[in-house]
Amino acid sequence: MDSEDTIDIENLDDNKFYGDAEKYWKNISPTVDGMLGGFSHISSTDIAGSTKFLHLFVKPPGKTNKVRALDCGAGIGRITKRLLLPNFSHVDMVELNQDFLDEARHYLADNASRVERYICSGLQNFTPDERRYDVIWCQWVLGHLTDEDLIGFFRRCQHGLSEQGVIIVKENTTAVGTTDFDTTDSSIIRSKNAMEEIFKKAGLRILKEEKQKRFPKEIYDVYMFGLQ
Ligand SMILES: C[S@@+](CC[C@H](N)C(=O)[O-])C[C@H]1O[C@@H](n2cnc3c(N)ncnc32)[C@H](O)[C@@H]1O
């Protein structure tokens, strides 16, 4: 990832910001390595950390049902396959790039039929059906939304949650008080505090937060947040 600090993140040109990201992902191979920018070797550690975090919320001992989850910025379904389908009866996937959704049907193999909806859309334009989801999982995608669009997306997601449903966010974070911009894929890397400020503006409460353990030193700190 190339980051640079000369971009004025407060005044992004939305068309360029979203257009550049779309172009980037259009040229990425539909593989786990493509999804993780060459870091496919961290996928198992990631899924193990996510599974532990998810189990704090779902029944039992949590209160969240295990009927249906939504995978946001789902790519080819790396998370759907290894985290969500093993824990929920059904999953919907929402993803910007149709090529990734097409590949997902092969990648998920026999379990593809438990994905009820393959939705091709940017999250900035997506509205979940009311009360449809027990868990809305957002990982390594929210940097592709402007602050304003992210707040709007979170507000709409709250209506998409079932009773006791939770939104789970897992994202890269920068040091307090700093923001990076990745010019390679056109995404913002926010600090944990900036994320927390956005949750607050969207009317979300943090139920739990945790840093992902055992990731390589050279990558950003990754935090998980459970929100309602
Ligand atoms: C870093 S990959 C992560 C994929 C998946 N979340 C995972 O962890 O395996 C980012 C994904 O977000 C998708 N994406 C980028 N911008 C998006 C947007 N505005 N709305 C929805 N998906 C987007 C990309 O096409 C890509 O599949």
Side-chain angles (χ1 to χ4, degrees):
M1 275 195 254
D2 298 327
S3 64
E4 68 174 53
D5 54 13
T6 50
I7 295 211
D8 183 1
I9 293 165
E10 304 290 313
N11 293 299
L12 285 174
D13 171 345
D14 282 16
N15 285 336
K16 182 168 164 47
F17 174 64
Y18 286 111
D20 285 355
E22 198 167 341
K23 265 185 241 152
Y24 171 82
W25 289 108
K26 211 60 205 152
N27 285 307
I28 292 300
S29 69
T31 58
V32 170
D33 219 32
M35 299 301 100
L36 299 185
F39 278 80
S40 56
H41 55 284
I42 69 169
S43 189
S44 292
T45 306
D46 168 58
I47 296 289
S50 298
T51 302
K52 231 171 131 202
F53 194 68
L54 176 66
H55 285 168
L56 298 172
F57 300 97
V58 293
K59 283 181 179 174
K63 296 180 188 158
T64 304
N65 285 318
K66 298 168 79 172
V67 178
R68 189 180 294 107
L70 174 67
D71 188 354
C72 296
I76 61 168
R78 183 187 69 91
I79 296 167
T80 289
K81 182 172 184 161
R82 295 190 55 199
L83 175 72
L84 300 177
L85 284 171
N87 283 288
F88 296 85
S89 306
H90 303 286
V91 175
D92 289 349
M93 294 169 61
V94 55
E95 163 56 45
L96 180 71
N97 183 350
Q98 182 63 48
D99 297 343
F100 294 164
L101 290 177
D102 292 343
E103 175 58 22
R105 292 170 203 269
H106 304 289
Y107 177 69
L108 299 172
D110 289 350
N111 282 314
S113 60
R114 285 201 291 128
V115 174
E116 289 180 320
R117 296 180 182 173
Y118 294 85
I119 304 158
C120 187
S121 172
L123 299 181
Q124 65 277 18
N125 302 314
F126 173 72
T127 303
D129 282 0
E130 295 245 333
R131 303 167 78 86
R132 183 171 169 84
Y133 300 109
D134 301 312
V135 165
I136 297 182
W137 193 277
C138 310
Q139 181 167 351
W140 284 326
V141 65
L142 299 181
H144 283 300
L145 268 59
T146 62
D147 284 8
E148 198 188 336
D149 283 345
L150 184 50
I151 292 165
F153 170 69
F154 279 145
R155 289 203 176 123
R156 297 191 299 280
C157 281
Q158 287 168 69
H159 297 291
L161 289 180
S162 61
E163 207 178 330
Q164 304 297 343
V166 289
I167 298 169
I168 299 184
V169 166
K170 186 167 186 177
E171 289 291 342
N172 293 341
T173 59
T174 54
V176 181
T178 65
T179 309
D180 283 353
F181 189 84
D182 188 335
T183 51
T184 310
D185 68 357
S186 185
S187 68
I188 305 162
I189 305 99
R190 301 175 168 96
S191 67
K192 190 165 150 292
N193 306 60
M195 291 296 288
E196 287 165 356
E197 195 54 38
I198 287 173
F199 300 151
K200 206 158 129 192
K201 285 187 181 154
L204 285 167
R205 184 168 56 100
I206 300 175
L207 304 176
K208 287 200 167 65
E209 65 175 62
E210 205 175 291
K211 186 178 161 188
Q212 169 69 46
K213 298 188 186 86
R214 289 184 288 279
F215 267 179
K217 292 271 178 294
E218 68 269 23
I219 67 170
Y220 286 108
D221 285 349
V222 173
Y223 274 88
M224 295 175 272
F225 304 89
L227 308 160
Q228 237 167 15

